Amino acid sequence: MDSPLKASLNLDWINQFAQLGETFYTRLRPTPLPGIHWVSCNHELARSIGLAEGWDKRPGVLEAMSGSALIEGSEPLASVYSGHQFGHWAGQLGDGRAIYLGEAQTPIGKFEFQLKGAGVTPYSRSGDGRAVLRSSIREYLCSEAMHALGIPTTRALCLTGSDGLVYREDVERAAVVTRIAPSFIRFGHFEHFAATGDQNSLRQLADFVITQYSELLTDPREFDLISDHDLLNQIKQNPYALMLYRTVLKTAKLIAHWQSVGFCHGVMNTDNMSILGLTLDYGPFQFMDAYDPHHICNHSDSQGRYAFDQQPNVAYWNLYCLGQALLPLIEDKELTIKCLDFFKTAYPRFREHSQLRKLGLSNQDLQGTQEAQDLISQIEQVMVLQNVDFTIFWRSLSNTLGSKKNGLQLVESIITKPLAQSTLQNCFELFNSILVTRNLNLSEVSRKMLLVNPKYVLRNHLGEQAIQSAKGGDFSQIQILLKILSSPFNEHPEYQSYAELPPEWASSISISCSS
């Protein structure tokens, strides 16, 4: 029975995914929650997608964002997909706790709207279809933090809470995140139809992505990696190979972005990988504190499959799963492998470019040179030798270089081990040599570094403090974090404590798949 309450957001709903047909989804309504209330609204995002001031105060909007009412023009459904989880085929999965509301045209493009935590679906696999307040706060804040860092991601429009109880390790309050993205289509959507042998649906889905998202997949310099003209023509003439190739590049660039800010995803299953190269599904993620290339952020990951330094390898493995799923459409195994293997070329280039940007040198003719490789390698050695705080190190280095003082003295508070200090001195000497030979201004280089090396990231202990306050009904920490994480390169002197080293208790925070 339809709810008598309907809300309007005055959006131009087009709902193109819903037009694919019910092979791809199940139509259903969200399940209402008791005792609903606002936790936070992302008014900056709301303005950018054309929602008028006071949108959150309109009749029925709170209810609609909590799953208790419908939005006029929406078509709620849950999509089906499959996937590999921790390297093993998991079979059919699907939107187990997320319900697609529809797709709308906005001033900044087309976006799908989705309620995460909206109740049981046919794909919940005996789960309750709910999200807890704890994990919802983490996703709400981190998706906006990643966007502000310039990293492709889903985004969060609002967060609602409830008096409803859900059972995880403990009894917790339920919550719903309204998240948006150009598309939530995953590698697992293609794996599903390949595994079931439904080639017609596989082709229909691929054609849909090619038609609807070609502009988002395309990059102006995407063919720079291909020197073989015959291969280039083969890829261009095969629309499914071209789609795969473009997803390979988008994924390679995404992972390079992650590594550049010390972001650990924690659960890179194929059903958590976006066909558009977006950061998708924030679960046991972490921005690293002390730098450890082998860091495992997910306490459920006993084998370290998704450790920080394994993320590029896992992305490549996941792309192979996608390539295998698309092979019936590409119809050329050798071409498929060649498309996939461009990851081996693309990722190192994107990674080096991101490192040079962090050093304020991305506009120079350094990429691919021995100088660049030596400088990046020495910086990495310093970080490993000192086990230095990732974010503080890069931000301090950015400030140090623009100070015109002895750089080693300015960072000696964080680089204290003799071997790390010695290696850092070598870095400064090589860096100065690069500046001199290319006639670069040190202050300008520092300015560029400060624009890409954030002062603020969503550290686990900051998220935990906001979560604990929210459990007591105080949502102010969420608003403060949303503010500073939305402009992470600014100084925000009134919030200096949010940029300092984590307390000792932060290392005991356990983040698992239930997070």
Side-chain angles (χ1 to χ4, degrees):
M1 181 180 296
D2 284 347
S3 165
L5 182 61
K6 287 196 175 185
S8 174
L9 292 178
N10 290 338
L11 290 171
D12 181 15
W13 295 95
I14 47 183
N15 302 336
Q16 290 170 313
F17 183 81
Q19 296 170 24
L20 281 171
E22 297 194 6
T23 303
F24 298 88
Y25 55 76
T26 299
R27 293 185 183 275
L28 79 165
R29 290 273 302 279
T31 305
L33 279 166
I36 55 174
H37 53 266
W38 289 115
V39 174
S40 180
C41 291
N42 186 349
H43 292 297
E44 181 183 346
L45 175 57
R47 282 191 293 271
S48 70
I49 62 174
L51 297 185
E53 194 74 24
W55 66 275
D56 54 316
K57 296 179 176 60
R58 290 179 181 170
V61 170
L62 169 61
E63 289 78 8
M65 297 296 101
S66 304
S68 300
L70 289 180
I71 297 176
E72 291 180 2
S74 65
E75 293 187 49
L77 57 87
S79 72
V80 62
Y81 50 81
S82 296
H84 286 83
Q85 298 189 329
F86 288 90
H88 302 285
W89 178 245
Q92 180 177 298
L93 301 167
D95 290 330
R97 56 177 175 169
I99 294 181
Y100 162 101
L101 297 182
E103 183 183 16
Q105 185 68 51
T106 82
I108 58 172
K110 292 184 293 186
F111 285 95
E112 291 182 3
F113 288 66
Q114 195 180 76
L115 299 182
K116 185 173 182 179
V120 174
T121 79
Y123 317 113
S124 295
R125 296 188 298 165
S126 76
D128 58 17
R130 293 301 185 190
V132 298
L133 181 62
R134 164 176 50 94
S135 62
S136 300
I137 290 172
R138 283 169 52 82
E139 172 150 2
Y140 177 76
L141 291 173
C142 194
S143 57
E144 288 309 294
M146 294 287 271
H147 173 74
L149 291 170
I151 300 174
T153 179
T154 61
R155 298 193 65 186
L157 177 63
C158 59
L159 171 60
T160 66
S162 166
D163 293 338
L165 301 179
V166 291
Y167 299 86
R168 298 295 184 263
E169 288 90 346
D170 299 304
V171 180
E172 301 188 53
R173 297 288 184 184
V176 177
V177 178
T178 300
R179 57 185 188 175
I180 71 171
S183 174
F184 286 94
I185 293 177
R186 310 146 185 268
F187 291 10
H189 280 94
F190 294 92
E191 288 186 283
H192 176 76
F193 294 109
T196 58
D198 187 351
Q199 193 164 321
N200 289 335
S201 295
L202 180 67
R203 187 180 303 276
Q204 186 182 356
L205 181 62
D207 289 344
F208 176 79
V209 169
I210 291 167
T211 301
Q212 297 298 326
Y213 308 116
S214 60
E215 186 174 328
L216 292 174
L217 279 168
T218 303
D219 187 279
R221 302 185 60 184
E222 62 188 4
F223 299 123
D224 288 1
L225 296 172
I226 307 177
S227 57
D228 185 330
H229 292 294
D230 289 338
L231 177 58
L232 177 60
N233 289 332
Q234 277 186 282
I235 293 174
K236 284 185 172 181
Q237 291 169 11
N238 187 318
Y240 308 112
L242 181 58
M243 184 188 81
L244 175 61
Y245 172 75
R246 286 172 166 166
T247 297
V248 167
L249 296 191
K250 291 293 184 185
T251 304
K253 185 175 288 188
L254 175 69
I255 304 304
H257 273 301
W258 287 1
Q259 305 300 106
S260 74
V261 295
F263 177 76
C264 311
H265 185 279
V267 61
M268 290 175 63
N269 297 329
T270 59
D271 56 296
N272 292 337
M273 298 292 291
S274 160
I275 197 70
L276 300 182
L278 307 175
T279 310
L280 180 66
D281 286 351
Y282 291 90
F285 69 82
Q286 182 183 8
F287 285 92
M288 265 198 297
D289 294 324
Y291 181 65
D292 174 8
H294 310 304
H295 180 67
I296 303 166
C297 71
N298 182 358
H299 288 213
S300 303
D301 185 7
S302 58
Q303 301 300 312
R305 177 179 177 81
Y306 299 137
F308 178 72
D309 61 352
Q310 291 302 307
Q311 291 184 146
N313 294 333
V314 172
Y316 182 51
W317 192 92
N318 289 343
L319 285 164
Y320 253 77
C321 293
L322 175 63
Q324 187 173 27
L326 291 174
L327 186 56
L329 305 182
I330 298 173
E331 297 181 323
D332 186 327
K333 183 177 180 180
E334 184 178 353
L335 179 60
T336 301
I337 292 173
K338 286 180 178 178
C339 288
L340 293 166
D341 281 353
F342 274 109
F343 184 91
K344 298 176 183 177
T345 307
Y347 173 73
R349 290 195 186 187
F350 291 139
R351 176 70 173 138
E352 184 177 90
H353 177 72
S354 68
Q355 292 297 87
L356 290 175
R357 284 187 74 237
K358 291 177 75 65
L359 290 162
L361 301 172
S362 60
N363 295 331
Q364 312 310 316
D365 57 345
L366 275 168
Q367 188 145 8
T369 66
Q370 190 62 49
E371 286 175 298
Q373 293 171 17
D374 289 346
L375 182 59
I376 292 169
S377 175
Q378 288 180 16
I379 291 284
E380 172 83 7
Q381 287 179 46
V382 171
M383 296 175 70
V384 170
L385 288 168
Q386 183 66 46
N387 198 216
V388 70
D389 184 274
F390 189 100
T391 303
I392 290 177
F393 171 77
W394 278 105
R395 188 69 176 186
S396 299
L397 193 62
S398 305
N399 282 311
T400 292
L401 292 172
S403 69
K404 298 184 179 179
K405 297 181 182 178
N406 185 298
L408 193 57
Q409 289 180 356
L410 284 170
V411 294
E412 66 180 359
S413 62
I414 58 172
I415 305 299
T416 58
K417 296 180 180 178
L419 188 54
Q421 286 185 335
S422 174
T423 306
L424 183 61
Q425 187 63 62
N426 293 336
C427 289
F428 281 135
E429 290 172 3
L430 178 54
F431 194 87
N432 287 330
S433 172
I434 290 171
L435 296 181
V436 170
T437 57
R438 287 169 172 77
N439 194 30
L440 297 176
N441 180 277
L442 187 59
S443 295
E444 177 62 16
V445 168
S446 175
R447 185 190 68 82
K448 290 181 178 179
M449 291 179 70
L450 289 168
L451 293 175
V452 297
N453 293 307
K455 182 175 180 177
Y456 300 94
V457 295
L458 182 59
R459 296 177 182 271
N460 270 351
H461 76 279
L462 297 177
E464 185 64 23
Q465 288 170 340
I467 289 165
Q468 294 306 319
S469 294
K471 286 180 177 179
D474 178 4
F475 307 134
S476 61
Q477 286 298 309
I478 297 173
Q479 295 308 119
I480 290 172
L481 284 171
L482 184 63
K483 175 183 177 179
I484 62 176
L485 294 172
S486 295
S487 49
F489 307 107
N490 294 352
E491 286 297 321
H492 299 293
E494 69 273 33
Y495 299 116
Q496 177 63 34
S497 63
Y498 290 74
E500 294 174 354
L501 285 168
E504 289 188 11
W505 60 264
S507 61
S508 65
I509 298 173
S510 178
I511 306 297
S512 65
C513 286
S514 69
S515 300

